[in-house]
Amino acid sequence: MAFGVKLVFFLHAFCLLTIHTHGQKKEDATAEEVKIEVLHVPKECKPKSKKGDLLNAHYDGYLASDGSKFYCSRTQNEGHPKWFVLGVGQVIKGLDIAMTDMCPGEKRKVTIAPSLAYGKQGYAQGKIPPNATLIFEIELYAVNKGPRSVEAFTQIDMDSDKKLSRDEISHYLKEEFERDGKKRDASVHDSILADIFKNNDHDGDGFISAREYNVYQHDEL
């Protein structure tokens, strides 16, 4: 994965704790609400995707009622596949469920009930009417460790005390900026560091604990 994408998602995860998706509901899904048809599985099917992983995929969305296409990722972002973190609300709940345990190279066709899509209100901006059942054709390209992975926390936590100090995060940012190779004013680094602590140091003790860091609820932390 390119460094720029990695850094963007690292900063995104630190600076945005809550990501809302239009019409998404919190209730548990049943098998009837998300139907998965596996179209293709590569011979080597690993790693399998799980909550908190960073995925790269193309997908097309259709209305089940008439088959009309309302979304195509290939027409967005100059045709590049879409990056998102699985299971944290960056896509509708039904897609979070449908793309779990999926491996790079796998293709799926999934049908998602309104309760796990845009519900009774629909999504006018996306041309999705109320109570719409949606169909997605998905091709997954990559499964990477997410920006809030245990590995990332361990890498930043240099003294292994299960909390991140201002110095540790500052050091990590400096290293990442150096790898990027772009010249930045020192104020950019200071501003990002200040935002990270403003949004994550909930108890104001000057550290980001494993619990404060742990948006994706890894048991290992």
Side-chain angles (χ1 to χ4, degrees), residues 54-179:
L54 181 59
L55 306 188
N56 185 235
H58 267 315
Y59 53 86
D60 297 330
Y62 305 85
L63 296 179
S65 58
D66 60 9
S68 61
K69 183 184 290 188
F70 63 84
Y71 181 80
C72 177
S73 61
R74 291 172 175 82
T75 65
Q76 308 290 323
N77 193 28
E78 299 182 343
H80 297 298
K82 182 180 177 65
W83 287 101
F84 64 95
V85 179
L86 183 68
V88 299
Q90 291 185 344
V91 293
I92 58 173
K93 183 69 173 178
L95 278 176
D96 273 335
I97 295 167
M99 295 182 70
T100 299
D101 292 324
M102 196 172 179
C103 66
E106 186 174 342
K107 298 179 182 180
R108 292 181 178 182
K109 181 178 181 180
V110 302
T111 303
I112 300 173
S115 60
L116 294 174
Y118 295 93
K120 296 179 180 179
Q121 69 270 39
Y123 181 33
Q125 185 177 344
K127 299 180 181 180
I128 298 172
N131 297 311
T133 297
L134 307 181
I135 296 173
F136 288 92
E137 294 180 354
I138 307 163
E139 182 173 4
L140 184 61
Y141 294 103
V143 177
N144 292 304
K145 294 291 184 182
R148 291 262 179 163
S149 67
V150 176
E151 290 82 0
F153 184 92
T154 302
Q155 181 181 356
I156 302 169
D157 184 21
M158 294 184 294
D159 60 6
S160 302
D161 63 352
K162 297 294 185 181
K163 58 185 179 182
L164 307 181
S165 68
R166 187 173 292 270
D167 286 343
E168 286 173 329
I169 295 177
S170 176
H171 177 75
Y172 181 83
L173 288 175
K174 286 177 180 177
E175 286 191 334
E176 294 298 287
F177 285 148
E178 287 173 2
R179 290 193 188 98

Side-chain angles (χ1 to χ4, degrees), residues 5 13-14 16 29 41 48 72 100 112 127 132 178 190 208 213 221:
V5 174
F14 255 127
L16 297 178
V41 178
K48 295 278 191 174
C72 177
T100 299
I112 300 173
K127 299 180 181 180
E178 287 173 2
D190 295 342
I208 297 174
Y213 172 93
L221 292 178

Side-chain angles (χ1 to χ4, degrees), residues 13-75:
F14 255 127
C15 295
L16 297 178
L17 285 176
T18 305
I19 304 169
H20 297 285
T21 303
H22 294 278
Q24 183 172 311
K25 293 188 176 183
K26 300 294 184 179
E27 68 268 18
D28 292 335
T30 65
E32 289 74 22
E33 291 175 302
V34 179
K35 296 180 180 179
I36 300 173
E37 179 185 354
V38 177
L39 303 177
H40 174 74
V41 178
K43 186 175 181 179
E44 186 74 14
C45 190
K46 60 181 182 182
K48 295 278 191 174
S49 60
K50 63 183 183 304
K51 182 179 180 180
D53 282 343
L54 181 59
L55 306 188
N56 185 235
H58 267 315
Y59 53 86
D60 297 330
Y62 305 85
L63 296 179
S65 58
D66 60 9
S68 61
K69 183 184 290 188
F70 63 84
Y71 181 80
C72 177
S73 61
R74 291 172 175 82
T75 65

